[in-house]
Amino acid sequence: MQKLFWHNEMNMAMQILKKLFPFCLTVLVLLSCNEVRRDPGRIYMPDMAYSRAYETYAETPEQREELLKKGIHFSNIPVAGTMKRNAMIPFAIAKDEVGDTVNYFASKSVKSPLEMMDEPEMTEAHRLYLVNCAICHGTKLDGNGPLYKGGDGPFPAKPATLVGDAKYESMPEGQMYYSVTYGKNKMGSYASQLDTRQRWMVIEYIKSQQGGAKAAAAVMDSTKKK
C-alpha cells in the first residue's frame, strides 16, 4: 500500500510539473525580451575583452578628464599638414574627382625624390614588389601573375604588362606613383600598405627592369644587324 501511495504521489507531481513547465518557460521568455540589455554581465577574462595596452592615437579616460578641465579637447591626431621626422615630402597632387583626370596627367611632371638606390635598397624594392605587386603583374612584370595565370586565374582581365608594353615603359614615374597612391582603374590604392618611400622604391625597381629590358632588346637588335 505504501509503495502504491508514493507511486500516485510521484505521478501527481509529474503532472503538475508538466503543466507548470510551459508556463514558466513563457514567463522567462517574456521577461528576457522586455527591454534591450546593454550590460553583458560578468566577463570571464576581462583582459581579453578590454585591452590594458594604450592604443595608437588614444588617451586614457583620466587623461581626457584632466585635459577637459583645462579646456583642451585633445584627440592625439597629428596636425593637418605636418609630417613625421625623417619622412619624405608627401605627394602634393590630390586625387582626381570621379570622371576627372586633370591631376592624373599633372602627375607626369613629378620626379622621384630618390637618388640612385644601392644594391641593398634595390633588393628591398624587389621584395616589396613581389609582396605587393607580383600577384597581379607577375614576377617577370609581364602581367601574368597568379590572379591572371594566362587567363586561367580568377581575374578575367590581364593586368598591365609593365615590361614589354610601350605604354607602361614610357609612363613617367610620377604618374606611376599617382596610380599606386590613389589607385587606377581596377587597381586599388596601396597607400596603406606602402609608405611614401616604399612606393617610390617599388617604382624605381620597375623602371630599372624596364631599362634592363630595353638594353637587352638593343643588344639583340645590334647583333641581328651584324
Side-chain angles (χ1 to χ4, degrees):
M1 287 293 294
Q2 189 175 4
K3 289 184 178 180
L4 181 62
F5 174 77
W6 284 112
H7 180 73
N8 292 334
E9 287 292 323
M10 289 294 294
N11 283 338
M12 289 179 63
M14 290 299 296
Q15 292 296 326
I16 293 171
L17 286 176
K18 287 181 180 179
K19 293 178 180 179
L20 285 176
F21 179 76
F23 175 76
C24 294
L25 182 62
T26 303
V27 172
L28 181 63
V29 171
L30 291 174
L31 288 174
S32 64
C33 298
N34 64 344
E35 62 180 23
V36 178
R37 187 176 181 182
R38 299 296 184 186
D39 183 10
R42 293 182 179 273
I43 300 175
Y44 179 65
M45 300 185 72
D47 284 354
M48 296 184 68
Y50 305 104
S51 174
R52 294 186 178 185
Y54 289 157
E55 302 295 336
T56 305
Y57 300 139
E59 66 275 356
T60 65
E62 293 78 13
Q63 290 174 326
R64 189 183 300 112
E65 186 177 348
E66 288 298 319
L67 291 171
L68 285 174
K69 288 179 181 178
K70 300 176 183 178
I72 301 173
H73 298 269
F74 185 57
S75 63
N76 284 11
I77 298 175
V79 178
T82 59
M83 53 188 290
K84 65 181 181 181
R85 189 173 297 177
N86 298 325
M88 299 186 71
I89 297 175
F91 199 47
I93 298 178
K95 183 180 179 180
D96 281 316
E97 296 293 335
V98 177
D100 192 8
T101 57
V102 173
N103 290 345
Y104 174 68
F105 287 104
S107 63
K108 290 182 176 182
S109 61
V110 179
K111 301 297 182 184
S112 172
L114 295 181
E115 298 180 357
M116 186 68 68
M117 293 196 299
D118 56 23
E119 186 175 348
E121 288 176 324
M122 188 61 74
T123 301
E124 173 62 9
H126 181 207
R127 186 190 72 83
L128 291 172
Y129 172 85
L130 292 177
V131 171
N132 295 278
C133 313
I135 190 170
C136 290
H137 299 287
T139 56
K140 298 179 180 179
L141 290 78
D142 56 0
N144 194 26
L147 287 183
Y148 183 65
K149 206 174 180 180
D152 296 327
F155 201 68
K158 184 179 180 181
T161 303
L162 300 175
V163 171
D165 189 331
K167 174 185 175 181
Y168 296 101
E169 290 189 350
S170 61
M171 180 179 284
E173 52 195 6
Q175 204 165 40
M176 279 190 176
Y177 187 88
Y178 179 98
S179 301
V180 174
T181 302
Y182 299 125
K184 187 66 177 174
N185 297 329
K186 295 294 183 180
M187 186 182 81
S189 168
Y190 277 79
S192 62
Q193 292 94 321
L194 300 167
D195 63 27
T196 304
R197 183 178 183 83
Q198 289 173 330
R199 276 172 267 164
W200 282 119
M201 288 174 68
V202 169
I203 290 167
E204 288 298 311
Y205 169 75
I206 293 171
K207 286 299 180 186
S208 71
Q209 297 303 298
Q210 290 174 342
K214 287 180 180 178
V219 170
M220 291 182 63
D221 186 58
S222 62
T223 305
K224 287 180 180 180
K225 289 180 179 179
K226 289 180 180 180

